[in-house]
Amino acid sequence: MTSVLFITCLSGAIFSHTDAERASERIDRLLAGRYAAEAPGAAVLVARKGTVILRKGYGLANLEHVIAVSPETVFRLASVSKIYTA
């Protein structure tokens, strides 16, 4: 949840001063620095006015088998999501 809030708060500042391509590059750099290639990661989708400007995975989905996160990665949330849907 922290990452989602991070991008949501940041997106207003990024989009107000630059075009979508530059915003995508800035967000990509920020997230690449936040999620190390050998650490647990996240899948990210950033859209502006209905157009996807960034769709990418960062870090690892499985540390034991060294499987990278991709935009298609399915995260098993189990009961963690109950508090958000309640």
Side-chain angles (χ1 to χ4, degrees), residues 10-78:
L10 194 60
S11 65
I14 289 174
F15 291 135
S16 63
H17 296 100
T18 182
D19 63 339
E21 185 176 325
R22 288 186 57 206
S24 174
E25 292 169 5
R26 287 184 66 190
I27 294 169
D28 183 42
R29 280 195 310 271
L30 287 168
L31 292 173
R34 184 172 174 93
Y35 293 101
E38 67 282 347
V44 176
L45 177 106
V46 179
R48 181 174 188 216
K49 297 181 181 178
T51 302
V52 175
I53 63 168
L54 178 65
R55 184 176 181 264
K56 190 172 177 180
Y58 299 89
L60 296 176
N62 185 309
L63 299 176
E64 182 179 353
H65 298 289
V66 191
I67 300 171
V69 174
S70 76
E72 292 79 25
T73 299
V74 176
F75 295 93
R76 294 176 61 193
L77 298 177

